[in-house]
Amino acid sequence: MEDYLQACRAALQESRRLHVVLGNEACDLDSMVSALALAFYLAKTTEAEDVFVPVLNIKRSELPLRGDSVFFLQKMHIPESLLIFRDEIDLHALRQAGRLTLTLVDHHVLPPSDAALEEAVAEVLDHRPIEQKRCPPCHVSVELVGSCATLVTERILQGAPEILDWQTAALLHGTIILDCVNMDPNIGKATPKDRKYVEQLEALFPDLPERKDIFDSLQKAKFDVSGLTTEQMLRKDQKTITRQGLKVAISAIYVDLEAFLQRSGLIADLLAHCQAHSYDALVAMTIVFNPQNEPVRQLAIFCPHAALRMTICGVLERSQSPSLKLTPVPSSHPNLQAYLQGNTQVSRKKFLPLLQEGLSAYFDSMTIPSGQPETGGVSREQMDKELDRAGTPLIPGLSQDEEDPPLPPTPMNSLVDECPLDQGLPKLSAEAIFEKCSQISLSQSTSASLSKK
């Protein structure tokens, strides 16, 4: 794999046609390994002048946020310096020069910013339901399995099993196991095909790591923030909400509150983070797990605006539905208020409406200028819509604080820095509406007939 990746980097300096295998914007472990392994396979088996190049669909600076990927690359002895990231190759310039062909792996919908690349897409390999149909000659292969790496493994073993070495097999094997939660039947993420190809890889390479060992180490690495800066910790799993021009971020931080507050230069880092992203306030919800694997949550509210900070803290302290049971923690900085959260069942998802309530209370307390429309009294429906647009964690599927799943879900189809609806509502055709209504009618008819029986 190293020799192949070195050749890929060298090809970027030449004026040759490139066939880019592009993973999704989340660039989770599944996307990364699928892009690397599929490009490697195509390079070994395709008779074409194109150079097959795997591209990780993030900036190089974002790789440290993906702890499991960093850990696995090191374990597999693949230098990060050999990888090609999205900010190191200009796909749009290549397309304009007629030198680009694209294969999309672990996603099949390009974001609006990449709409011009659609004409270059020659193949899709994904494991989620189709959201966007493509016309020939684009070849689309979509199958609902637990890991896209399963489909890449299938392609290799059916097409050219002789090219599969231990390193590539170990990458695919570990990725499938992580995505399918160690093939646990109680979780239900693994399909028969996932199990089939994990077993085939193990049969071909009996010295692959034990399933539990590789799963535990990858799972631990995914949530390890020990090597991250404060800025990276805040961005790793962050959501934002807005209200009438105010912007508040809430980050899940997987360290103890005391350890977080003792970080060197914390206040300066929090202020710099808020200024860089135009946040008026920042809430850090620290999360650690006790020996019973139950979450222990604590809060830190940073806000340079005294009135806004006091209003938010007041709403949180007085809340009864749900009650957070907060105990203030002494802080040496006036712009930061910390709490122990007695009610550990209140996850970040349940916490967000309280934060919205705090913003509403802040605006209600302000004097409305004469002649200006009143902005208070936001309806529950409006609040729900805003919460739905609260933003996506930088790495979807990372958070363990959304209704407290025991393990992280399979990542979303793609990660976007903005809400998908920010570009406007999706375009609907009359045919699509008629088809949807027909499906609903059929479902209702079926339910009615079953109830009569």
Side-chain angles (χ1 to χ4, degrees), residues 116 224 235 253 309 381 434:
D224 182 12
R235 292 177 55 225
I253 307 290
R309 183 180 65 257
E381 181 179 357
F434 179 80

Side-chain angles (χ1 to χ4, degrees), residues 52-322:
F52 288 89
V53 176
V55 173
L56 308 190
N57 206 356
I58 55 172
K59 297 178 180 179
R60 179 176 287 274
S61 61
E62 293 181 1
L63 181 62
L65 303 183
R66 292 148 176 83
D68 50 351
S69 296
V70 173
F71 167 82
F72 211 24
L73 288 170
Q74 293 174 347
K75 188 174 180 64
M76 295 295 109
H77 306 291
I78 297 177
E80 295 175 14
S81 60
L82 297 182
L83 303 177
I84 300 171
F85 293 82
R86 184 63 191 269
D87 57 338
E88 298 172 341
I89 182 171
D90 191 339
L91 298 184
H92 290 272
L94 288 170
R95 182 199 64 82
Q96 291 175 349
R99 294 172 45 213
L100 177 68
T101 301
L102 274 178
T103 288
L104 305 183
V105 63
D106 201 23
H107 66 141
H108 63 272
V109 180
L110 290 171
S113 58
D114 284 338
L117 301 179
E118 288 284 357
E119 64 185 43
V121 178
E123 182 179 3
V124 167
L125 183 65
D126 197 8
H127 68 123
R128 276 168 291 265
I130 294 179
E131 300 174 24
Q132 175 180 316
K133 293 184 178 180
R134 296 182 180 275
C135 300
C138 179
H139 177 70
V140 177
S141 179
V142 173
E143 188 168 351
L144 304 183
V145 293
S147 176
C148 194
T150 295
L151 302 180
V152 177
T153 303
E154 179 181 50
R155 175 80 68 91
I156 295 173
L157 291 182
Q158 289 185 353
E162 67 277 4
I163 73 162
L164 190 64
D165 55 26
W166 186 93
Q167 185 185 49
T168 307
L171 284 169
L172 293 165
H173 178 258
T175 300
I176 299 170
I177 287 173
L178 180 65
D179 268 0
C180 296
V181 195
N182 200 19
M183 322 311 286
D184 188 339
N186 295 321
I187 301 296
K189 298 293 288 294
T191 67
K193 178 166 285 192
D194 295 302
R195 288 188 284 271
K196 171 184 175 181
Y197 283 104
V198 163
E199 292 169 359
Q200 286 196 18
L201 289 171
E202 292 169 346
L204 289 169
F205 300 91
D207 56 342
L208 286 173
E210 292 292 328
R211 294 184 187 182
K212 185 177 187 306
D213 292 343
I214 193 64
F215 175 75
D216 289 346
S217 59
L218 286 171
Q219 186 71 6
K220 180 180 178 181
K222 178 181 284 192
F223 295 97
D224 182 12
V225 296
S226 58
L228 301 184
T229 66
T230 300
E231 163 76 7
Q232 290 171 332
M233 289 175 66
L234 294 170
R235 292 177 55 225
K236 186 178 177 79
D237 188 4
Q238 185 175 78
K239 292 192 174 186
T240 59
I241 58 175
T242 58
R243 173 63 57 81
Q244 300 174 33
L246 284 183
K247 192 175 180 182
V248 179
I250 175 168
S251 298
I253 307 290
Y254 295 94
V255 297
D256 179 73
L257 177 64
E258 183 178 359
F260 180 68
L261 295 179
Q262 291 178 352
R263 290 180 68 87
S264 177
L266 176 67
I267 298 301
D269 290 341
L270 295 178
L271 181 60
H273 184 72
C274 288
Q275 291 175 340
H277 302 281
S278 301
Y279 296 141
D280 296 281
L282 170 66
V283 178
M285 177 177 277
T286 65
I287 307 168
V288 293
F289 294 86
N290 62 22
Q292 290 73 43
N293 203 32
E294 298 168 335
V296 177
R297 298 183 177 87
Q298 299 157 321
L299 296 173
I301 292 90
F302 175 79
C303 179
H305 312 292
L308 177 58
R309 183 180 65 257
M310 292 173 64
T311 303
I312 291 175
C313 290
V315 168
L316 298 178
E317 291 173 5
R318 294 189 299 269
S319 174
Q320 295 299 318
S321 181

Side-chain angles (χ1 to χ4, degrees), residues 357-430:
E357 185 180 335
L359 295 184
S360 296
Y362 174 72
F363 282 107
D364 289 344
S365 67
M366 297 173 63
T367 303
I368 301 173
S370 176
Q372 294 294 321
E374 186 172 342
T375 56
V378 178
S379 70
R380 183 68 190 182
E381 181 179 357
Q382 289 173 306
M383 184 179 293
D384 289 341
K385 289 181 179 179
E386 290 192 27
L387 289 177
D388 287 340
R389 295 169 59 92
T392 311
L394 189 65
I395 311 172
L398 170 78
S399 180
Q400 282 195 339
D401 205 38
E402 307 300 329
E403 294 303 323
D404 310 323
L407 290 164
T410 299
M412 294 164 51
N413 182 52
S414 64
L415 180 147
V416 289
D417 290 333
E418 58 190 14
C419 172
L421 295 182
D422 283 351
Q423 302 298 326
L425 292 172
K427 296 179 181 179
L428 296 175
S429 65

